[in-house]
Amino acid sequence: MTTLTTMMKMPALSGVNKRTYALWTAAVLVFAFLYVPLIIVMVYSFNDSQLNAEWVGFTFAWYRKLFSDQEMLNAAGNSLMIAVVASAVATVLGTMAGFAMHRYKLKLLPLLVLTPIAIPEILIGVSLLIFFVMLNITLGLVSITLAHIAFCIGFVAIVVRSRLSGMDESLTEAARDCGATPFQAFRLVTLPLIMPGVLAGALMAFTLSIDDFVITFFTAGANASTLPLQIYSMIKIAVTPEVNAVSTLLMALTLFLIIVASKLAPSALRSSS
Amino acid sequence: MNKAPSPPSLLPPRSTPASGRLARWLISGPPLVYLLVFFAIPSLIMIFASFRYAGDYGGLDPIFDAAGKLNLTFESYTRFASDYIYTAIFLKSLMYALITTFCCLLMAYPVAILIARSAKKYRDLLILLVILPFWSNFLIRVYAWMIILGPQSGLTRALNYVLGLIGVQPVTLLFTAFSVIVGLVYVHLPFMVLPLYANLEKHDPALLDAAQDLGASAWQRFWRITFPLSLPGVYAGAALVFIPALGIFAVSDILGGTGGMMIGNVIKQQFLETRDWPFGSVLSIVLTAAALAVAGVAVLASKPRRQG
């Protein structure tokens, strides 16, 4: 059968190659479309010119300017603080949600976990704005953090649930048969087994939080700024290559986190996106 | 994954139903409460806000007026229905989102096929290559196109040089509908590649071999086998691209200039500049309804059909 197919294919072999060639060309063009813009930003962050147009010469000036920009440093500090707190809380709550969704037949929780991922972000942003203002919660670092936790829970829950569904149930069963309480079985058997998923979820929540612009934009108020908000105002008001420098640093940080996350749970990244 | 139901245990039940229910509430309770408070309730409040009057200084008017009567109205809804400007912007946003979805599909297909047909050991790497740009900050990715499409960029100057040779007036690329679509496609492309790949990966190559043995050309094999079988992936990807593309405001804000307004920009304007929250809420509700309708259609369409 196989030989028959192979024989039939023989005359069309050059055609096959041509098609594969076309497929490769199209795919390479798409990958170029994906990567060229980011490479341009990185390259221009070292360009010794005010304009993002021609290559003039190599410089670290934009990075030096960045590290003496107090507003930018404050924003970076805020972003970091929010991301640490939000990802920690979202990881705990998201792990519980993922575990509950795996273990029990629930209706409301999966709906509440998945809808925030499925609807346009702007809706979460504006509804939280109304909510915080109505409750007289001052817009700022606290409101941003509360909002970030809300949209990160779902992503952590999905990663944890996918890790749990790949896990051998009999291990927990065995622990329970040996007399472990449900809590002991979870802490000593299940949790260590799903730990890579939990850590990947935590890193994902951290990245999402540090990168979020839309929801932060509506929940930040006038006095708190984060890195994305700062980048946005720089793009809107006056574009200098300083934006390229901060972008390059942020890309490097994200790349680092992604590499760590993909080492922890190679499949977690795919199932989440 | 094999999920055979576990055989009935011979041991006595480990926990009484009551303690099981307690554990269930202890585990699912905290995330449930958090999402109720910070997602469900705010969404309901937004629906409620759409029936209220705008306050004199922005935000919302008190619920009860001076006489103690309920202060609710359909005014914002009738305004949306009667003011053609907002409907037009909404239709334009739908159009942009549709074009974006179509372009994403065209670009994602070859990549998804390539990944699905490449050797297993390269697949993870190729997928990572698709996701990686998506993980860098969204604003940076949009801003990168500001550089590429800007009037001083190499691309614009080269294009206008060529156009000049054939006697066509110079064109601007940035702050046009074109630049908005490029930005929208760029930001959403991975959302199309991943579900398409997940679908294509499951296809049985024997079907293509069989079609070839029966004399089908490459084009026939694609249109009559690969494409129809990939439709669930296409629908899923289309929903994942269309819904966020519809509600986005940052791309049109940065790459669209003054004429590039989408519905997201109007919502942002109503909440932060005009401060007409009830009307902003109406626009948000219309947007949600459109998004959910698209998601619903995609879910229905991607359900596997019964063999008939």
Side-chain angles (χ1 to χ4, degrees):
Chain A
M1 192 59 198
T2 331
T3 36
L4 181 71
T5 321
T6 322
M7 277 166 63
M8 297 283 283
K9 265 183 189 162
M10 292 291 267
L13 198 63
S14 62
V16 170
N17 281 341
K18 212 186 279 170
R19 278 198 305 282
T20 322
Y21 185 68
L23 188 67
W24 268 98
T25 315
V28 166
L29 283 176
V30 173
F31 276 116
F33 174 76
L34 284 175
Y35 280 91
V36 167
L38 300 180
I39 293 169
I40 286 180
V41 170
M42 283 185 225
V43 170
Y44 278 161
S45 75
F46 298 105
N47 187 14
D48 195 4
S49 158
Q50 275 285 345
L51 296 169
N52 285 316
E54 259 166 273
W55 179 261
V56 176
F58 185 89
T59 181
F60 276 118
W62 305 115
Y63 289 89
R64 274 199 296 276
K65 191 162 175 232
L66 190 65
F67 282 105
S68 54
D69 185 338
Q70 199 52 50
E71 262 181 67
M72 194 61 98
L73 292 178
N74 284 342
N78 287 343
S79 277
L80 208 61
M81 204 156 68
I82 293 166
V84 167
V85 176
S87 58
V89 179
T91 304
V92 173
L93 291 175
T95 304
M96 293 169 96
F99 188 77
M101 278 156 65
H102 172 75
R103 191 85 162 70
Y104 306 110
K105 279 206 173 68
L106 301 166
K107 286 214 175 84
L108 188 57
L109 187 66
L111 186 73
L112 283 178
V113 162
L114 298 175
T115 331
I117 300 174
I119 63 172
E121 263 188 299
I122 189 171
L123 300 166
I124 303 175
V126 297
S127 62
L128 281 171
L129 170 66
I130 303 179
F131 177 71
F132 288 136
V133 170
M134 275 179 91
L135 290 187
N136 278 324
I137 295 174
T138 317
L139 297 178
L141 296 182
V142 175
S143 61
I144 300 173
T145 312
L146 290 171
H148 282 200
I149 294 169
F151 78 77
C152 286
I153 289 177
F155 290 93
V156 178
I158 289 175
V159 179
V160 168
R161 190 181 59 173
S162 81
R163 177 86 193 176
L164 277 165
S165 63
M167 202 186 87
D168 191 350
E169 283 293 329
S170 57
L171 293 168
T172 320
E173 297 279 318
R176 296 281 281 120
D177 287 343
C178 293
T181 66
F183 181 70
Q184 280 174 329
F186 177 77
R187 192 171 57 91
L188 297 171
V189 179
T190 313
L191 193 58
L193 282 171
I194 61 167
M195 208 48 181
V198 174
L199 288 177
L203 279 173
M204 188 180 296
F206 185 87
T207 322
L208 287 169
S209 167
I210 221 161
D211 272 350
D212 180 76
F213 165 67
V214 177
I215 293 170
T216 314
F217 186 74
F218 288 102
T219 52
N223 299 318
S225 189
T226 66
L227 224 37
L229 294 186
Q230 202 68 25
I231 292 174
Y232 178 72
S233 68
M234 283 175 90
I235 296 172
K236 287 296 284 182
I237 297 161
V239 179
T240 71
E242 206 186 331
V243 185
N244 301 334
V246 67
S247 304
T248 305
L249 288 180
L250 212 49
M251 277 191 263
L253 174 71
T254 315
L255 186 63
F256 171 74
L257 292 177
I258 291 309
I259 291 171
V260 174
S262 64
K263 287 267 184 285
L264 289 173
S267 62
L269 289 172
R270 250 172 303 147
S271 54
S272 68
S273 314
Chain B
M1 260 354 102
N2 255 329
K3 267 203 186 163
S6 43
S9 178
L10 297 173
L11 296 164
R14 295 188 194 98
S15 51
T16 61
S19 79
R21 218 172 298 140
L22 180 70
R24 180 180 156 147
W25 276 110
L26 282 177
I27 296 163
S28 63
L32 188 71
V33 168
Y34 196 94
L35 289 170
L36 275 175
V37 173
F38 292 104
F39 173 67
I41 293 175
S43 307
L44 295 175
I45 288 178
M46 190 182 73
I47 296 174
F48 184 57
S50 70
F51 295 104
R52 290 173 62 175
Y53 287 99
D56 292 336
Y57 303 102
L60 301 167
D61 220 26
I63 304 175
F64 296 101
D65 63 11
K69 268 175 62 187
L70 260 181
N71 214 3
L72 298 177
T73 176
F74 280 106
E75 202 179 69
S76 302
Y77 284 91
T78 48
R79 185 172 151 210
F80 176 76
S82 60
D83 200 335
Y84 173 68
I85 299 172
Y86 300 103
T87 324
I89 294 178
F90 204 87
L91 289 176
K92 189 175 97 180
S93 308
L94 282 172
M95 190 56 98
Y96 277 17
L98 270 177
I99 296 173
T100 301
T101 309
F102 185 69
C103 293
C104 282
L105 182 62
L106 279 184
M107 294 175 78
Y109 224 107
V111 177
I113 288 191
L114 184 81
I115 300 177
R117 295 190 186 163
S118 58
K120 273 220 163 64
K121 55 178 176 175
Y122 297 123
R123 280 187 198 169
D124 279 352
L125 181 70
L126 285 169
I127 290 165
L128 192 67
L129 278 177
V130 172
I131 307 177
L132 213 52
F134 157 79
W135 279 106
S136 67
N137 187 284
F138 159 77
L139 287 172
I140 296 169
R141 283 178 287 147
V142 180
Y143 158 72
W145 284 100
M146 249 182 123
I147 302 181
I148 297 175
L149 300 173
Q152 291 302 311
S153 76
L155 180 73
T156 310
R157 282 187 295 176
L159 179 71
N160 280 327
Y161 177 75
V162 173
L163 288 178
L165 289 181
I166 55 170
V168 177
Q169 290 293 312
V171 292
T172 44
L173 297 176
L174 191 60
F175 303 140
T176 60
F178 171 75
S179 58
V180 175
I181 304 267
V182 169
L184 288 173
V185 171
Y186 188 64
V187 170
H188 294 107
L189 190 54
F191 292 113
M192 185 65 93
V193 176
L194 297 175
L196 252 188
Y197 155 73
N199 171 284
L200 289 169
E201 188 208 29
K202 287 183 212 132
H203 291 193
D204 185 351
L207 287 173
L208 291 177
D209 283 346
Q212 188 167 19
D213 290 349
L214 292 170
S217 70
W219 200 238
Q220 283 172 320
R221 287 201 302 271
F222 177 77
W223 275 116
R224 301 181 69 167
I225 298 175
T226 308
F227 188 71
L229 280 176
S230 73
L231 278 177
V234 171
Y235 295 139
L240 286 177
V241 171
F242 186 85
I243 293 170
L246 189 60
I248 218 159
F249 73 87
V251 174
S252 35
D253 216 16
I254 294 169
L255 297 175
T258 43
M261 223 185 218
M262 292 175 68
I263 194 69
N265 301 79
V266 185
I267 293 177
K268 180 197 117 186
Q269 203 181 51
Q270 295 299 323
F271 275 98
L272 298 180
E273 289 147 39
T274 323
R275 290 186 59 80
D276 186 343
W277 287 10
F279 191 58
S281 301
V282 169
L283 295 174
S284 308
I285 289 164
V286 176
L287 177 60
T288 317
L292 291 180
V294 171
V297 169
V299 167
L300 285 180
S302 60
K303 281 231 170 86
R305 298 214 180 89
R306 269 192 220 122
Q307 307 282 321

